[in-house]
Amino acid sequence: MRARDRDTAPRSRTVGFQVPAEIDQLSMVHALAETVLLVGGFALDEVTDLLLALDEVATALMLVATPDSLLDCSFTGADGVLGARVSTLAREPAALDEQSFGWHVVATLTDALRTDYAGFDAARGGYPTTVEFGWIRRLHGPTKS
C-alpha cells in the first residue's frame, strides 16, 4: 500500500477470543465482548443491545456444542459498523432453533443475521456451526450536508 493510500483506506479492526463452549463461560464472553465494544468506541446503549444479541447467540451455541469444544468469537468494527462472528462445533446438524424467542430478539437487535451449518467434520467430531450478525450505528439528529 502506498503511503498516500493509507489515509483513505477503510480502517477496520478485528478482535477475537476463544473460551470453552460451556454455559458457565457466558459471563467471560460477556465481559470480553463488552471491553472490545467499549474500547471500539460504541456508546453504552449500543453496547447493551449488542451484548444482548451476543448473549443469545453464545448461549444457543453453548447449549448445542460438543463436549470440550471452544466458542470462537470475533468482532470487526469501523466507523459505527460492527460485524460479529461466533462459532463452535455442534453435536447435531442445523442444531440451533432459529424460530425461538431468543432468536427473534437477535434478529430485532441486529441489521444482518446469518447461520452457517457445515457438514460433519470427522476429525473434530461434530458439525461446525457459525452465526454472523451485523449492526450499523443509526444517526441521531440532523445530518451534515
Side-chain angles (χ1 to χ4, degrees):
M1 180 180 288
R2 296 175 298 192
R4 71 173 185 237
D5 293 336
R6 281 188 219 130
D7 292 333
T8 60
R11 299 194 190 273
S12 66
R13 177 168 296 161
T14 299
V15 176
F17 57 86
Q18 293 179 326
V19 297
E22 300 167 2
I23 204 72
D24 66 346
Q25 293 296 308
L26 188 59
S27 60
M28 180 62 72
V29 171
H30 189 97
L32 291 169
E34 181 177 31
T35 300
V36 168
L37 294 170
L38 289 172
V39 170
F42 291 92
L44 287 176
D45 60 329
E46 297 168 331
V47 170
T48 300
D49 287 349
L50 292 167
L51 288 175
L52 180 56
L54 176 63
D55 286 350
E56 290 292 337
V57 169
T59 299
L61 287 170
M62 288 172 171
L63 292 174
V64 300
T66 61
D68 301 322
S69 62
L70 295 174
L71 188 74
D72 188 345
C73 302
S74 64
F75 305 92
T76 301
D79 300 324
V81 177
L82 175 76
R85 184 175 193 276
V86 187
S87 61
T88 197
L89 199 61
R91 294 184 304 270
E92 300 174 10
L96 298 177
D97 180 2
E98 296 182 47
Q99 301 304 313
S100 71
F101 175 75
W103 208 256
H104 289 289
V105 169
V106 175
T108 300
L109 292 173
T110 61
D111 295 305
L113 177 60
R114 183 177 84 109
T115 306
D116 180 47
Y117 299 104
F120 185 76
D121 183 333
R124 296 171 59 204
Y127 297 86
T129 303
T130 302
V131 176
E132 295 177 310
F133 62 88
W135 182 85
I136 301 169
R137 176 177 284 147
R138 305 310 186 261
L139 295 176
H140 299 287
T143 59
K144 294 181 181 179
S145 318

